[in-house]
Amino acid sequence: MPVIHLRRLCMLAGIAAASLGLVACNSVTERSRAALTAITPYKVEVVQGNFVSKEQVDALKPGMSRQQVREIIGTSLLTDVFHSDRWDYVFTIRRQGVEPQQRRLTLFFKGETLERFVGDQMPSEEEFVAALDARKRSGKVPQLEATEDQLKKFDDRKAADDKADAAAGNGTGTQRPLPPSYPPLESGR
């Protein structure tokens, strides 16, 4: 009788633990996810392949030689032995907190000249760099232009500095004296 009672007790404890686990999974909030992310070990960013920008694709023109294409977008990482007139450029990046990205570009040659190319819409270099930055922005853009009042204050300060230099006897008041020369860092032995 005690063995049956012990089995029932263990079964009830297991059911209770499973129920609590399901309830806990259902009640995960954004705050608890952030806490879990903070203690998650660092995951290495994986970058593979050739990044090809929109600017590079725009520079490609049918009729270019293989060497000209290499100079614009680099050497293809995938070279098919059975299709020597086809170059494949593949780029993938996997980063923590950012959707994985994959881009493909395939070039077709006829002999030594580029015949055509097909592939995904490539981002510009600026768009690509912006997509890599996973930090959240505040959205507030600082004012990058000085107002007339700010410029006037700067001019007033400069005029006061020039007057102080003139009063100190620095000649025209537009240049300050040069600092004294210093001994060389290494002395001759």
Side-chain angles (χ1 to χ4, degrees):
M1 195 99 142
V3 173
I4 293 173
H5 183 65
L6 185 61
R7 283 186 184 169
R8 283 185 184 172
L9 186 61
C10 287
M11 188 187 303
L12 283 173
I15 290 172
S19 297
L20 286 174
L22 288 174
V23 168
C25 287
N26 195 22
S27 65
V28 173
T29 64
E30 194 62 38
R31 181 176 283 170
S32 58
R33 285 181 206 267
L36 288 174
T37 303
I39 60 172
T40 302
Y42 176 74
K43 293 182 182 174
V44 177
E45 296 177 0
V46 179
V47 179
Q48 294 177 319
N50 305 65
F51 169 70
V52 179
S53 70
K54 179 182 184 302
E55 293 87 358
Q56 290 171 311
V57 173
D58 291 344
L60 293 176
K61 304 289 182 234
M64 289 181 145
S65 70
R66 289 178 189 249
Q67 183 59 37
Q68 289 172 319
V69 171
R70 256 189 227 107
E71 289 172 1
I72 293 173
I73 60 176
T75 304
S76 167
L77 290 182
L78 297 176
T79 305
D80 191 346
V81 177
F82 300 107
H83 301 100
S84 61
D85 286 342
R86 174 181 166 166
W87 289 357
D88 291 295
Y89 292 82
V90 180
F91 174 77
T92 58
I93 183 169
R94 290 182 184 87
R95 298 183 66 219
Q96 195 168 358
V98 178
E99 278 295 312
Q101 298 180 33
Q102 182 171 15
R103 304 266 196 285
R104 293 175 180 267
L105 178 67
T106 304
L107 282 68
F108 298 94
F109 291 89
K110 193 171 210 172
E112 285 297 311
T113 60
L114 179 63
E115 182 179 33
R116 63 186 171 93
F117 51 93
V118 294
D120 298 330
Q121 179 69 30
M122 300 297 175
S124 68
E125 290 180 11
E126 187 176 321
E127 293 168 342
F128 178 70
V129 170
L132 289 179
D133 192 2
R135 296 175 294 177
K136 292 186 179 177
R137 304 270 184 215
S138 67
K140 184 179 178 184
V141 177
Q143 183 179 359
L144 300 176
E145 197 171 291
T147 64
E148 289 296 325
D149 291 338
Q150 291 170 331
L151 292 174
K152 187 174 183 298
K153 288 178 187 176
F154 177 75
D155 289 339
D156 292 345
R157 243 186 274 142
K158 185 176 182 311
D161 287 348
D162 288 347
K163 277 186 182 178
D165 285 347
N170 290 340
T172 62
T174 57
Q175 294 182 348
R176 296 178 187 250
L178 295 174
S181 63
Y182 296 99
L185 294 177
E186 295 181 11
S187 61
R189 292 180 189 177

